[in-house]
Amino acid sequence: MSQNAFKRFRRALARNALYFFTWFLNKLPYKTVDSLIRGLVAVGFCVTVRHRRVARESLKTAFRDHKDQAEINKITWGCFKNL
C-alpha cells in the first residue's frame, strides 16, 4: 500500500468514525451525552498538563496581581469546559 493510499485510508477511517459517533450520540438521551462529555473534559483537563500550565501563565501575565491563584484556576477550568 503506497503512502498516499494509506493516508486516504486513515482519513476515510477517521471520517467514518466521526459519522458513526455523531449518529450514536444523537440516539442517546441528552443526560447521558452530557455526562459523557463532562467525563471527557475532566480526563482531558488532567491529561493536558502543558496546556494548563500555558493557560495559567498567560492568565497570570494578563491579570498580574488582580486575581489570586484560586481565581486563575477557576478561569482555566472554565476555559477547558467551554472548549
Side-chain angles (χ1 to χ4, degrees), residues 8-46:
R8 282 196 324 248
F9 174 76
R10 283 190 1 209
R11 286 182 181 175
L13 185 65
R15 181 176 52 248
N16 289 323
L18 178 67
Y19 291 154
F20 170 75
F21 284 112
T22 301
W23 171 81
F24 182 69
L25 291 176
N26 281 327
K27 299 297 180 191
L28 293 175
Y30 176 77
K31 289 273 191 183
T32 305
V33 174
D34 187 50
S35 298
L36 286 171
I37 296 301
R38 287 177 189 267
L40 287 173
V41 168
V43 169
F45 186 75
C46 293

